Amino acid sequence: MALNIDVNYFNTFILKRIYADGSDTTSVAMPYAVEQGIRGDDWETPIVKNTNYDWYIEESRIRGGYNNTTVDFGVKAYVTSENDVRQRRINSLIYSGIYNSRTGINETNQFSVAAEITRAVDPIAGSIQKLFAEDTNLTIFQERKVNVALIDKDAIFTAEGVGITTTGNQVIGQISPVPGNWGIGTNPESFAVYGYTKYFVDKDRNAVLKLAGGQIQEISNAGMSDFFRDQLSLISQTGYALGGYDVYNQNYVLSISNSDRFSSSGNYKTLTWDERNAGWTSFFTYKPQTLFSSRGDFYSTYNKPVIYEHYSNLERNTFYSTQSASSINFVFNPSPSTIKTFKTINYEGSNGWQVTNITSDLTGQDPNLATTSEWISNFDESTGNVRLADGTPSTLYKHIYSYTEGLYSEDGIDYRAGFDRKQNKYYAVIPNNTQDPMAGEVIWGNQTMGIKAYFATVTMTTDTDTNNGGLKSLFAVSSEFINK
């Protein structure tokens, strides 16, 4: 309708107009509006924004009475400006109404502001990364802290400070922190659970952790603290620490990579924790994208949609249709303060094991070098046997052959160029492969047997000729040595 204004009450009103885009202009006194020709303008609907014509009337006198007290044409106390801003509360939980499929109640889309439906944990511990519900408790994993909250019950305290758990109408009740400044970092994919035991990784503290009985234990300290310190520190923003529990073999499997989980590039390490042995028992050659167990079997996925069932193929050491050799590294170090000559290497186990390297300890820093970080090469090493598998003498030994690989015949007589077997134990002489003599050495190189060192580092692997893909066990390894 048209706007009619009595000019005798110009001082009673100010004029404003809301634009089509929802905004408005600054208040201007009525006489100015009349001068601009507002009288007779159609104000039924918003029009295109025009600073000279877009106005509406706002009462300036208290209660609108004649000659009542007039307020300024500025900001009014009762005027509110709503500015909806989305907030990200990284340390808070919120829950909706109830859901009951039997009665048809579904209030999962209702979040009543009148009810106490939010719970917050300490923001200094970082964002919430993982929630795990167990019985009537909720475990909350933050970046730097682990908390336990009561579900559908609350705790009240006596005058002596003793907690009493009671039922109540709160979905999330009392929140209590687990002792220890440990968290799950930003790697919730490392979480795995078996029974009441939970495993996860705290990348920022270079630790692999176990939560059981309300206590957190650092299992990465079981002989592997240096390894995890190096590997977890390499995880970048795109890297990951993937965990899963193998119910078939009862192991916690952990795969660490510095690249994307679905990328075939990058370095990775996959290994297992055995609760029965309380140690890290094995490394694996496969890089999984997910790990999970179902109905007593263990599965992983690779190449995105492909699901692989472990322990189902007849060929051992084969993952994702790729076969690899098993290997083990260990140290001979009897009488640590005595220089020794290791003459033989012997093992108990299956046929099919070979020695690919035996290396002595480093001799020390070279005083003639400019930097003290340089070291003299190992002065004694062995990587082979006196003859190749075909019986040909070798000038550069390849390795100590397994019992089957080292078999050759000469003049109708069978010889062994590597391990020989006696009373189900395998023995082999350690040949010396030193290429240059040390000062004072009269006989050196392949004319001598054994290597001289305080300790020796040994690598044994499975061969490809003996029962390929079959079981090859290794129970014990020993060496005969003399102190000189």
Side-chain angles (χ1 to χ4, degrees):
M1 62 180 180
L3 175 68
N4 297 315
I5 302 175
D6 189 344
V7 296
N8 293 323
Y9 298 99
F10 282 164
N11 63 337
T12 304
F13 302 99
I14 58 173
L15 298 181
K16 291 184 180 179
R17 179 66 183 270
I18 300 177
Y19 307 136
D21 61 4
S23 59
D24 58 15
T25 64
T26 306
S27 301
V28 178
M30 176 62 79
Y32 173 73
V34 173
E35 290 176 6
Q36 299 302 319
I38 289 206
R39 176 176 294 182
D41 191 12
D42 185 1
W43 285 58
E44 288 186 351
T45 60
I47 59 176
V48 179
K49 184 173 182 179
N50 187 313
T51 57
N52 295 325
Y53 295 98
D54 293 343
W55 306 91
Y56 66 89
I57 298 177
E58 178 178 317
E59 177 64 67
S60 65
R61 291 190 182 273
I62 297 177
R63 296 184 180 178
Y66 176 71
N67 283 339
N68 283 358
T69 304
T70 303
V71 298
D72 286 340
F73 298 146
V75 177
K76 306 298 187 297
Y78 60 86
V79 176
T80 60
S81 177
E82 295 185 1
N83 185 15
D84 296 330
V85 178
R86 183 177 64 181
Q87 292 182 336
R88 181 175 175 84
R89 300 178 63 182
I90 60 176
N91 65 310
S92 300
L93 302 173
I94 186 171
Y95 52 87
S96 67
I98 63 173
Y99 170 78
N100 192 324
S101 60
R102 293 177 299 175
T103 59
I105 297 177
N106 185 359
E107 298 178 353
T108 56
N109 64 335
Q110 297 182 18
F111 297 86
S112 175
V113 296
E116 295 183 6
I117 59 175
T118 59
R119 288 290 183 273
V121 290
D122 191 354
I124 199 172
S127 62
I128 297 175
Q129 293 286 320
K130 175 73 178 179
L131 299 176
F132 181 74
E134 183 179 49
D135 296 333
T136 58
N137 292 321
L138 179 68
T139 306
I140 305 171
F141 293 88
Q142 294 179 260
E143 295 180 47
R144 295 178 291 277
K145 194 68 179 176
V146 180
N147 306 275
V148 176
L150 304 178
I151 301 178
D152 289 334
K153 60 181 184 290
D154 203 356
I156 59 177
F157 297 88
T158 65
E160 292 78 18
V162 179
I164 302 175
T165 301
T166 62
T167 59
N169 58 359
Q170 289 186 330
V171 176
I172 302 178
Q174 181 76 21
I175 298 178
S176 302
V178 177
N181 292 321
W182 304 103
I184 203 170
T186 55
N187 301 104
E189 71 278 1
S190 66
F191 177 83
V193 60
Y194 179 70
Y196 286 99
T197 304
K198 306 165 191 65
Y199 303 91
F200 57 99
V201 169
D202 190 341
K203 177 187 67 175
D204 296 333
R205 293 173 176 81
N206 298 327
V208 183
L209 306 166
K210 178 182 73 172
L211 173 60
Q215 300 292 327
I216 296 179
Q217 178 185 353
E218 187 179 1
I219 60 177
S220 54
N221 274 344
M224 297 286 285
S225 58
D226 181 71
F227 169 83
F228 285 111
R229 179 189 63 202
D230 297 337
Q231 295 299 319
L232 293 177
S233 61
L234 295 177
I235 297 179
S236 60
Q237 294 295 328
T238 58
Y240 66 90
L242 176 65
Y245 195 84
D246 177 3
V247 298
Y248 185 92
N249 214 26
Q250 295 188 358
N251 289 329
Y252 171 60
V253 182
L254 177 63
S255 184
I256 304 171
S257 177
N258 62 354
S259 62
D260 184 80
R261 192 192 306 186
F262 301 100
S263 173
S264 58
S265 61
N267 298 322
Y268 70 93
K269 299 289 184 181
T270 303
L271 64 163
T272 59
W273 165 267
D274 192 326
E275 197 67 49
R276 294 162 296 183
N277 296 319
W280 299 90
T281 56
S282 182
F283 284 91
F284 294 104
T285 58
Y286 66 93
K287 179 183 179 182
Q289 294 172 351
T290 57
L291 296 166
F292 62 95
S293 295
S294 177
R295 302 186 67 178
D297 293 318
F298 181 57
Y299 300 88
S300 66
T301 62
Y302 70 101
N303 198 18
K304 292 187 178 178
V306 182
I307 299 178
Y308 178 82
E309 181 181 353
H310 294 252
Y311 313 110
S312 61
N313 56 316
L314 298 178
E315 292 188 356
R316 297 172 182 267
N317 289 355
T318 302
F319 297 100
Y320 309 158
S321 301
T322 301
Q323 189 177 54
S324 304
S326 289
S327 65
I328 181 171
N329 296 323
F330 56 90
V331 175
F332 282 141
N333 193 22
S335 303
S337 300
T338 305
I339 295 179
K340 301 161 286 290
T341 299
F342 297 96
K343 300 191 302 179
T344 65
I345 182 169
N346 324 300
Y347 78 88
E348 301 174 41
S350 305
N351 178 21
W353 287 93
Q354 59 187 353
V355 178
T356 56
N357 186 59
I358 302 179
T359 308
S360 69
D361 55 282
L362 297 171
T363 60
Q365 294 175 329
D366 190 340
N368 298 322
L369 297 176
T371 61
T372 58
S373 62
E374 299 292 340
W375 290 77
I376 298 176
S377 300
N378 300 71
F379 67 85
D380 246 354
E381 63 180 349
S382 172
T383 57
N385 48 275
V386 178
R387 291 177 181 269
L388 300 180
D390 59 1
T392 306
S394 173
T395 56
L396 182 60
Y397 310 134
K398 300 299 182 183
H399 53 264
I400 298 178
Y401 289 107
S402 65
Y403 181 77
T404 300
E405 280 186 324
L407 175 63
Y408 69 97
S409 298
E410 193 173 274
D411 298 330
I413 303 175
D414 291 341
Y415 296 94
R416 302 283 175 178
F419 282 105
D420 201 354
R421 183 172 60 195
K422 182 179 181 181
Q423 296 178 341
N424 289 330
K425 188 172 183 178
Y426 296 87
Y427 299 84
V429 172
I430 298 178
N432 193 294
N433 195 38
T434 305
Q435 300 300 304
D436 298 308
M438 292 183 62
E441 276 192 308
V442 178
I443 301 177
W444 59 276
N446 57 16
Q447 302 177 59
T448 64
M449 179 183 72
I451 62 174
K452 182 177 291 187
Y454 281 104
F455 65 88
T457 304
V458 183
T459 302
M460 295 185 66
T461 62
T462 54
D463 63 15
T464 57
D465 297 329
T466 307
N467 189 20
N468 191 24
L471 174 65
K472 296 177 182 177
S473 57
L474 184 65
F475 302 116
V477 184
S478 59
S479 176
E480 296 180 12
F481 65 93
I482 56 176
N483 292 326
K484 66 175 181 179

